[in-house]
Amino acid sequence: MGDINGDGRPDIAVTVDHIGIATHEVDDPSNPNAVRVYTWKGAGLALLPGWPQSTRDATLGLALADLNRNGRSEVLAACGQDYAPSLMEKSGLWITARLYVWEGSGRPLSPWFPSPGAGVIGQAAGHAYAAPSVGDLNNDGSLEIIQSSQGAWEQGTFRRGNLRLWSHDGRLLGQTQSDTANLPWRVYPSFSVETPPVLADLNGDGRTEVIAASFDGRVYAWNSEGRPVPGWMPSTGAVTQTENRVPIRCGISAADLDGDGRDELVAGANDGALYAWDHDGSVLWKWKHPASGVSITSGLAAGDTGSGWLIAAGDSAGTIRAWDANGRLLWSSQTTPGQPVMAEPALGDVNADGVVDVVTVGTDGYVYAFDGSKGTLIWQVPTLWAPTREGMRLEPALGAPALCDLRGNGRLCVIIATASRYVADIPTRDWRGTGHLLVYDCGPGTANARTPWPQYRGEPRRTGQGVETTGTRRPGPAQTLRGSQ
């Protein structure tokens, strides 16, 4: 969500994917994988001119950033797979990822793929499973891009993942390297990334560090030159990892929890534990789920409510929880039991009562808003019904909701994208048009309400830090557009 066409109003970028169908040609007419950009026009959503744009495989993460400094956001898409024999041979991995970059008009941004002559620009070894992160790492006024990959499935887990640091104009500035003690961007061979790296200021010097949570339970931090941040993996003696190195698969988030001008990091693990690490890598606090077999399955939203920090996440049992800056559990509320909450929550004042609330979507096909101070249900609304062999089911939502005044009328909207997981139950050759982009109206007079975490990873550049924007009330009927999963 961001201003892509330069009119000063938010636009919505979404992916239309079918994981499992990949082509080697983006102009293949049977290719269902694409990126679409919508704007609000008149009484509904409309595609911006120049969109959609095809990708070779499913796109598992989008970011928006003004790379060429023309006042309009470019669209960056992390494509899961690409066909790069030379890189596959060099890395020994059977798969490679590709970063696509388009201008708001849908035209490729040179020299990035798919512009002619892109060559190896934006390629990375291994499968891409996370959106890129974008920020000015060296304070030179130009943006850098951090691209990540899972690596490959080996020895019963993902290994040999990769981070690549690119300049705004496509120059490779650095990349992770396994067990190279004195070289920049060092990682262990078990390194694998499934969530966008966080960009934060850990030491309060005004410069950005890069923090990555690995599937092997380690949390790494480097400065802009790729040197380890003292106290953080992979520096000597660092212990920034989960207990028993339980995997971290969901988003980590940055927040100055103690107000000392230096960011802390919060992460959820597969054993249901929530960790907060201080700026120096020491454990600030840890919250452990009271039941075994429950994992944190959503990304973490961490926002400044004006009266303190609010951290929210969902788990595999269908529960949404909120904590304060000290790791104290504020409340827990139930969606549909046994239906995991996969989507990262959004934070915003949805009923204009001055309290920042938690908005989440479930695999049960409902959109929920919970009071941020006590967890009571404010409203619960359905998505759309889809046919299955067992009958009609609500379409689930796996991606994070977004909050903004989409129509410019002073009324906050909740925007979600659904996925038709049930489409596999229906024999069909057409995998396109099975998801929906839904917009819920949240009522009048809420444009100035507080929304410290309005979208996935907090803001369009996917830095893992919150922002401050606008507000809402009980949603009205959804405006839908078929085919915008």
Side-chain angles (χ1 to χ4, degrees), residues 105-122:
S105 63
R107 182 175 59 187
L109 179 67
S110 181
W112 294 92
F113 193 79
S115 62
V120 299
I121 295 174

Side-chain angles (χ1 to χ4, degrees), residues 77-99:
C79 185
Q81 302 182 45
D82 191 49
Y83 185 64
S86 60
L87 185 57
M88 287 189 281
E89 182 178 351
K90 182 178 179 180
S91 66
L93 300 179
W94 60 274
I95 196 171
T96 57
R98 173 73 88 163
L99 183 65

Side-chain angles (χ1 to χ4, degrees), residues 384-396:
L384 298 178
W385 293 94
T388 74
R389 289 176 178 173
E390 290 77 32
M392 300 295 286
R393 301 280 184 87
L394 287 171
E395 291 184 343

Side-chain angles (χ1 to χ4, degrees), residues 46-333:
L47 274 170
L48 283 182
W51 300 91
Q53 292 294 326
S54 296
T55 59
R56 288 176 172 168
D57 186 34
T59 297
L60 297 173
L62 298 173
L64 305 179
D66 184 6
L67 298 183
N68 57 9
R69 294 189 284 187
N70 67 350
R72 290 182 285 185
S73 293
E74 279 72 53
V75 179
L76 295 80
C79 185
Q81 302 182 45
D82 191 49
Y83 185 64
S86 60
L87 185 57
M88 287 189 281
E89 182 178 351
K90 182 178 179 180
S91 66
L93 300 179
W94 60 274
I95 196 171
T96 57
R98 173 73 88 163
L99 183 65
Y100 292 64
V101 183
W102 297 277
E103 297 179 6
S105 63
R107 182 175 59 187
L109 179 67
S110 181
W112 294 92
F113 193 79
S115 62
V120 299
I121 295 174
Q123 286 182 343
H127 187 271
Y129 202 76
S133 303
V134 186
D136 183 1
L137 300 189
N138 54 12
N139 291 343
D140 66 351
S142 295
L143 296 175
E144 285 77 47
I145 303 159
I146 299 93
Q147 177 189 21
S148 60
S149 76
Q150 275 180 310
W153 185 260
E154 298 175 341
Q155 304 172 24
T157 187
F158 281 103
R159 294 166 48 85
R160 293 197 286 157
N162 189 226
L163 289 188
R164 286 194 161 194
L165 175 64
W166 301 91
S167 68
H168 69 282
D169 56 1
R171 290 175 290 116
L172 182 62
L173 303 177
Q175 63 179 312
T176 51
Q177 305 173 78
S178 294
D179 283 343
T180 48
N182 296 316
L183 293 178
W185 305 101
R186 180 170 67 92
V187 295
Y188 292 94
S190 55
F191 180 73
S192 176
V193 178
E194 296 194 3
T195 184
V198 166
L199 306 183
D201 183 4
L202 294 176
N203 54 17
D205 66 353
R207 299 176 69 89
T208 300
E209 282 78 50
V210 178
I211 304 99
S214 174
F215 188 75
D216 65 4
R218 296 183 173 103
V219 181
Y220 294 79
W222 304 270
N223 64 19
S224 61
E225 289 79 39
R227 301 296 178 184
V229 175
W232 294 80
M233 292 284 185
S235 61
T236 303
V239 290
T240 49
Q241 62 186 39
T242 58
E243 185 177 346
N244 299 319
R245 301 236 317 269
V246 171
I248 300 173
R249 299 195 66 175
C250 301
I252 58 173
S253 300
D256 183 8
L257 298 178
D258 55 12
D260 67 352
R262 295 173 292 192
D263 288 325
E264 284 75 48
L265 269 294
V266 187
N270 276 20
D271 61 355
L274 185 72
Y275 292 82
W277 285 279
D278 209 346
H279 65 275
D280 60 2
S282 61
V283 176
L284 189 63
W285 49 259
K286 175 187 175 184
W287 180 88
K288 185 69 172 70
H289 197 285
S292 61
V294 177
S295 60
I296 293 179
T297 49
S298 82
L300 302 174
D304 182 358
T305 67
S307 58
W309 284 92
L310 180 67
I311 302 165
D315 68 21
S316 57
T319 304
I320 185 82
R321 288 182 171 82
W323 300 263
D324 66 11
N326 298 312
R328 181 173 64 95
L329 181 65
L330 299 175
W331 50 264
S332 63
S333 296

Side-chain angles (χ1 to χ4, degrees), residues 21-46:
I21 293 181
T23 70
H24 295 329
E25 299 299 334
V26 296
D27 58 355
D28 185 337
S30 66
N31 181 9
N33 303 304
V35 174
R36 295 172 177 244
V37 177
Y38 294 97
T39 192
W40 191 267
K41 186 176 182 180
L45 291 164

Side-chain angles (χ1 to χ4, degrees), residues 315-319 334-342 362-365 421-422:
D315 68 21
S316 57
T319 304
Q334 190 67 47
T335 62
T336 300
Q339 295 289 319
V341 177
M342 306 292 289
T363 53
D364 60 359
R421 66 178 176 189
Y422 305 112

